[in-house]
Amino acid sequence: MENQNGAIGEELKAARLERNLSLDDIQQQTKIQKRYLAAIEAGNFDQLPGTFYERAFVRQYAAVVGLDPAALLEKYDLDTKEVEPDLSAARVDADNVTRTGMRLEEDTAAEKTRQLMPKVVIGVIVVVLVAAIWWAVAAYAGNSKQEASSSSVAVSSAKVESSAASSKAAEKKAASSTSKADEKKLTIDKAQVTGRTSTITVTPADKTATIPMTLKAKSAAAWTSVTYDNGVALFSGTLQVNQPEEVTIPANATNVRIQFGNAAQTDVSIDGQTLQTGSTSSVWTSTLNVVR
């Protein structure tokens, strides 16, 4: 195993030196601490946080230096059964690094009650206001109906025709607006799957504009990396449940690469549309070809 780890480290280091990159450059693009990068190059995988991070860090490193992560893992038989890190007691610091072992003290029952009381009071106030508004509207509607019934209303044929014309114009305008809205939507083609990767063609309505992307963890934390064109990093880190990450794809980007450490627990949407990656395993790579 040590010889295998050493071979992986040497291959990564050789690829880095061939691109004239320093460990600081790799750290800046992958957000992996420099000491872990040095440990990988030296084959000292026992200095890494765990088995999950061995694969994740090697994949990130390989992607930045131009190697195929999936092929590298398969070559050295490193793509074994996934071991999810225990994040039950973890926290994410301001530097976007997840650290475990920091268990927060649970709130007492009294504290939870104190925190809940303002919400209960606000809920009661809202219910009372809604009931008062409904009563006022119902009373006004009843009076108006009685007044309308007691007075005769004459409706001319001209007004009827005008109303019909206005209705048709409104329908035409609505249909036109819907058509224009449909024309402005971004289109996403069906994923083309090969092995543990997929290729997806994305055509934005405005080919010169940036494209918003949202990354979400479903019910468990999930590591994700997003790069574009020549490996420039847009995001790299562990997604937490109920903490979506917003990413902006630059206007000049034509090739966007999304790497998943746990694809089944990761949701991706582009310009408000859900991206179907076609993933069949947790470790997955999707490449977006953006039509400009």
Side-chain angles (χ1 to χ4, degrees):
M1 179 63 72
E2 292 179 358
N3 292 337
Q4 175 180 289
N5 294 345
I8 294 174
E10 290 176 2
E11 186 168 346
L12 290 172
K13 182 178 181 180
R16 173 176 65 82
L17 295 176
E18 184 178 354
R19 286 177 170 248
N20 295 321
L21 296 174
S22 66
L23 286 179
D24 290 328
D25 296 328
I26 304 299
Q27 175 180 261
Q28 182 178 6
Q29 293 191 43
T30 64
K31 310 305 180 184
I32 300 173
Q33 296 181 31
K34 184 177 179 180
R35 62 191 180 96
Y36 290 146
L37 297 174
I40 292 173
E41 288 192 351
N44 298 327
F45 284 22
D46 57 343
Q47 296 181 15
L48 301 181
T51 303
F52 174 84
Y53 291 98
E54 290 179 13
R55 296 192 308 277
F57 287 179
V58 168
R59 289 180 67 88
Q60 286 183 267
Y61 195 146
V64 171
V65 297
L67 298 179
D68 186 336
L72 183 67
L73 295 178
E74 184 176 358
K75 176 180 177 182
Y76 292 102
D77 195 24
L78 194 62
D79 195 10
T80 57
K81 183 179 179 181
E82 292 187 24
V83 179
E84 291 293 340
D86 182 10
L87 298 176
S88 60
R91 70 174 186 182
V92 178
D93 288 343
D95 56 357
N96 201 30
V97 176
T98 302
R99 294 183 172 87
T100 60
M102 306 300 290
R103 187 175 296 278
L104 299 178
E105 182 179 355
E106 294 185 357
D107 292 336
T108 63
E111 181 63 24
K112 290 181 178 178
T113 302
R114 253 194 320 271
Q115 294 176 357
L116 188 60
M117 281 304 296
K119 298 179 181 179
V120 173
V121 173
I122 292 174
V124 171
I125 294 174
V126 170
V127 170
V128 172
L129 288 175
V130 170
I133 293 172
W134 178 86
W135 180 85
V137 171
Y140 177 80
N143 292 336
S144 297
K145 186 175 181 180
Q146 291 178 357
E147 293 175 1
S149 299
S150 62
S151 62
S152 58
V153 180
V155 180
S156 65
S157 59
K159 288 184 178 181
V160 174
E161 293 174 358
S162 176
S163 177
S166 298
S167 178
K168 289 181 180 180
E171 290 176 0
K172 185 176 180 181
K173 184 177 180 181
S176 177
S177 299
T178 302
S179 176
K180 290 181 179 178
D182 291 339
E183 293 175 359
K184 292 181 179 179
K185 285 185 178 179
L186 172 144
T187 59
I188 303 175
D189 291 351
K190 183 178 180 181
Q192 302 298 316
V193 177
T194 303
R196 295 187 179 182
T197 64
S198 62
T199 302
I200 305 168
T201 299
V202 176
T203 306
D206 185 354
K207 296 182 173 57
T208 62
T210 59
I211 304 174
M213 174 186 290
T214 303
L215 308 172
K216 295 181 181 178
K218 295 181 180 178
S219 59
W223 176 87
T224 307
S225 172
V226 181
T227 59
Y228 76 96
D229 292 346
N230 294 323
V232 181
L234 294 176
F235 172 79
S236 179
T238 301
L239 298 172
Q240 301 297 326
V241 178
N242 296 325
Q243 296 181 21
E245 292 289 342
E246 302 295 336
V247 177
T248 300
I249 300 175
N252 62 339
T254 58
N255 183 277
V256 179
R257 186 170 185 166
I258 310 173
Q259 296 174 278
F260 302 90
N262 192 351
Q265 289 295 333
T266 308
D267 274 340
V268 180
S269 62
I270 302 177
D271 198 16
Q273 298 187 49
T274 300
L275 180 68
Q276 302 296 339
T277 63
S279 62
T280 57
S281 65
S282 293
V283 178
W284 191 262
T285 300
S286 292
T287 299
L288 309 182
N289 292 326
V290 183
V291 179
R292 295 292 188 181

